[in-house]
Amino acid sequence: MQLSEDDLKRAADLVYTRMPATPQYAWPQLKARLGCEVWVKHENHTPTGAFKVRGGITFIDWLRRTHPDVAGICTATRGNHGQSQARAATAAGLRALVYVPHGNSVEKNASMRAFGAELVEHGQDFDTARVEAFRVAEEQGLAIVPPFHEELVRGVATYAYELFTAAPDLDAVYVPIGCGSGICGTILARDALGLKTEVIAVVAEGAPCARLSVEAGRLVETNAADTFADGMAVRVPVQAAFDIYAKGASRFVTVSDAEIAQAMRVLYEDTHNLAEGSGAAALAALMQEKDAMAGRKAGVILSGGNVDAGVFAGVLTGGI
């Protein structure tokens, strides 16, 4: 998959019919703490509180144009993708059937229902829910929305387009990785704009399938995805995403749940922004590489702020 600058502009024009661009700020307190200029891309400021909303807009637009007779969609999620698809599908007059694993975020579930999703709990993790969603979609004649698709990537790449347009001289940008749409969109936007910025993939210690796959040169599934950063809690990597990040990411940084929790506290202290676990992972990686990045210019993707109140209260008081 490739994107041109014109592709990015067209995607952005479409996205802006349903939401405004999000801000990116160079926060002085983060600079003082880390010794480098830190630009935070605030995808927690979207209408669903996460970057996934962009892909929902572009995917449903594509679906309505190419499959005008479809009655609805079916997908699986840990929350942010589901909110995105429910919001866009409902606005287009489509049914939105969304599968989540048991024990999923209570507040993300409530948000998905509020955006119009018919929510079904199935299985113990995202990948099990995904298999069931695919089965039910075929059974009921619904359009499946996979976790990775060119139209999703085209949409989410617009956040990177905004960031790189505002700060084209970034030395590096840190991006959390789950199934891979965010990091792939960032890589493709960088390449389309002809920039030299390093794109650094950030994985959770308990969900390392993307890093293990790149190290092995082939897809590697894990037996579990054990992290409270639910947007990164993936066991089964996606080939199409792997094909992009295996070549386009400069390196992988692995962060622990404790490091993610500390980054959540830092973001709140220094910027007064809420970040869910996945949203703070990029900063956690930059904090880990603080010495190597001294005096340089870094971007971090705050990919979402949808953290349950009880979880965040525990993090603020020093927990995980």
Side-chain angles (χ1 to χ4, degrees):
M1 180 182 178
Q2 289 184 321
L3 292 174
S4 67
E5 187 169 356
D6 283 343
D7 291 330
L8 293 170
K9 289 178 179 176
R10 285 193 295 270
D13 287 344
L14 175 58
V15 166
Y16 301 155
T17 65
R18 299 296 313 281
M19 60 169 279
T22 60
Q24 47 278 312
Y25 301 127
W27 290 94
Q29 286 173 274
L30 290 176
K31 182 177 182 179
R33 182 188 292 269
L34 296 178
C36 64
E37 189 171 319
V38 183
W39 285 76
V40 178
K41 182 57 174 170
H42 284 285
E43 290 300 280
N44 58 317
H45 291 184
T46 75
T48 64
F51 79 103
K52 294 280 191 181
V53 68
R54 298 170 182 267
I57 295 167
T58 51
F59 183 89
I60 296 298
D61 173 77
W62 167 83
L63 184 68
R64 294 298 285 155
R65 287 186 286 104
T66 58
H67 301 76
D69 297 329
V70 72
I73 62 162
C74 185
T75 196
T77 186
R78 290 302 303 266
N80 291 333
H81 170 77
Q83 290 179 70
S84 166
Q85 294 302 318
R87 178 180 186 261
T90 301
L94 300 176
R95 179 187 178 200
L97 180 59
V98 178
Y99 279 76
V100 299
H102 291 288
N104 199 54
S105 160
V106 172
E107 293 176 23
K108 284 182 178 176
N109 286 355
S111 294
M112 284 184 278
R113 291 190 178 100
F115 280 116
E118 298 173 36
L119 204 70
V120 179
E121 292 182 281
H122 179 88
Q124 299 307 309
D125 60 23
F126 162 75
D127 292 288
T128 306
R130 176 182 54 81
V131 171
E132 180 68 3
F134 275 56
R135 185 191 69 79
V136 171
E138 184 174 355
E139 181 181 88
Q140 299 190 15
L142 299 171
I144 187 68
V145 186
F148 188 91
H149 187 280
E150 286 193 7
E151 289 300 320
L152 297 175
V153 175
R154 189 168 70 93
V156 301
T158 60
Y159 80 62
Y161 178 55
E162 293 166 7
L163 175 61
F164 288 137
T165 300
D169 57 343
L170 292 173
D171 293 301
V173 60
Y174 293 77
V175 188
I177 183 169
C179 287
S181 64
I183 191 164
C184 290
T186 304
I187 290 167
L188 294 171
R190 176 203 62 190
D191 293 349
L193 296 172
L195 302 177
K196 302 300 183 183
T197 307
E198 288 187 304
V199 177
I200 299 165
V202 183
V203 296
E205 186 176 59
C209 70
R211 190 201 78 223
L212 294 175
S213 296
V214 170
E215 290 173 352
R218 59 176 175 80
L219 298 190
V220 175
E221 298 182 14
T222 57
N223 293 325
D226 186 14
T227 174
F228 85 105
D230 53 12
M232 303 165 76
V234 175
R235 289 190 295 106
V236 181
V238 177
Q239 183 70 55
F242 171 85
D243 291 342
I244 296 171
Y245 62 66
K247 296 177 181 177
S250 297
R251 63 182 178 278
F252 278 72
V253 177
T254 302
V255 292
S256 68
D257 277 4
E259 288 175 309
I260 291 171
Q262 176 60 13
M264 291 170 71
R265 290 187 283 271
V266 167
L267 281 165
Y268 190 74
E269 254 182 74
D270 290 358
T271 77
H272 289 106
N273 273 267
L274 291 178
E276 59 189 283
S278 305
L283 181 63
L286 175 57
M287 290 167 63
Q288 190 183 113
E289 296 197 334
K290 172 183 175 181
D291 292 343
M293 289 300 296
R296 304 180 75 197
K297 191 170 183 176
V300 295
I301 308 303
L302 202 174
S303 58
N306 296 324
V307 55
D308 285 4
V311 172
F312 192 63
V315 168
L316 282 184
T317 54
I320 300 175

